[in-house]
Amino acid sequence: MTYVASPSHSIGDAARTEDLKQCLETARKHLNETSRASDTERQQELVSSAIDAGWEEDEVRAALANEEVEPSHDGSLMPTLGVVPSSSL
């Protein structure tokens, strides 16, 4: 199981969504570096880990569905959470 931090804000608090995005981004980065599982399996792992940490399944799935999709280095599309392109820095 991948570690996902528990929510620190109550349901309905605007900061909760941003916290979830940050938690998922960190967990996804770790999974991408350490797991040889398929993208689908890693996505399922993220959802399961977040639910076990105390996040609601619907908010986790909504956060993952709202990910921006950008090309990776090999030309395929890769989901990202809150990543700012280096050209905008």
Side-chain angles (χ1 to χ4, degrees):
M1 187 75 45
T2 298
Y3 174 77
V4 175
S6 298
S8 58
H9 299 280
S10 61
I11 294 174
D13 188 330
R16 184 176 170 103
T17 302
E18 288 305 313
D19 285 349
L20 175 56
K21 288 179 184 179
Q22 184 177 21
C23 291
L24 291 175
E25 181 178 345
T26 301
R28 180 186 296 284
K29 184 177 181 180
H30 174 75
L31 272 177
N32 287 343
E33 292 172 354
T34 61
S35 176
R36 294 180 187 243
S38 70
D39 289 341
T40 302
E41 291 169 327
R42 287 189 297 231
Q43 181 99 345
Q44 291 171 342
E45 175 78 13
L46 280 174
V47 171
S48 295
S49 296
I51 292 169
D52 287 347
W55 297 96
E56 298 292 322
E57 181 175 358
D58 58 336
E59 68 183 333
V60 173
R61 293 196 183 277
L64 292 172
N66 288 329
E67 295 175 337
E68 296 176 27
V69 177
E70 66 180 42
S72 66
H73 296 292
D74 65 1
S76 63
L77 295 179
M78 185 169 113
T80 60
L81 285 170
V83 176
V84 177
S86 59
S87 61
S88 67
L89 296 176

